[in-house]
Amino acid sequence: KAGNPKPVKDYEGVFKCTTLGWKPMTPVIAVPTTAGTGSEVSPGAVIADKHHKRKFVCIDPGMIPSFAILDPELLFKLPASVTAATGMDALTHAIESYLNGIG
């Protein structure tokens, strides 16, 4: 609540955190716990609302982390299935980038 005092559900959608840059956010520091997800360079988040049994997104350039702490030791504790899934996700994004014909 340091930068945005409202409940998290009020930030669902696009530009709800910084109001198009008019209300700057507190800097974000990311500590990714999986490899290949890109969360440390992403302007968005998927939030699980367990109470209402749904997920929603918050997208705002202000959410792009100012710093990322990349600790490879965290990856050693992941189950093999999670490591495989995030590896396939990264590979899929790489193939998609290569085959999309842009650039």
Side-chain angles (χ1 to χ4, degrees), residues 4 8 21 29 32 49 59 80 83:
N4 292 296
V8 71
I29 299 173
D49 181 349
I59 302 171
T83 300

Side-chain angles (χ1 to χ4, degrees), residues 14-23 60-61:
V14 181
F15 295 117
K16 298 285 182 85
C17 298
T18 61
T19 317
L20 297 172
W22 297 327
K23 182 179 142 196
D60 196 299

Side-chain angles (χ1 to χ4, degrees), residues 35-52:
T37 61
S39 62
E40 68 276 13
V41 294
S42 176
V46 178
I47 310 294
D49 181 349
K50 292 182 181 182
H51 180 73
H52 293 101

Side-chain angles (χ1 to χ4, degrees), residues 54-77:
R54 70 184 194 104
K55 291 183 179 180
F56 61 89
V57 296
C58 300
I59 302 171
D60 196 299
M63 292 176 59
I64 297 173
S66 303
F67 301 95
I69 299 170
L70 306 174
D71 183 357
E73 293 290 323
L74 293 173
L75 303 180
F76 294 133
K77 298 174 184 174

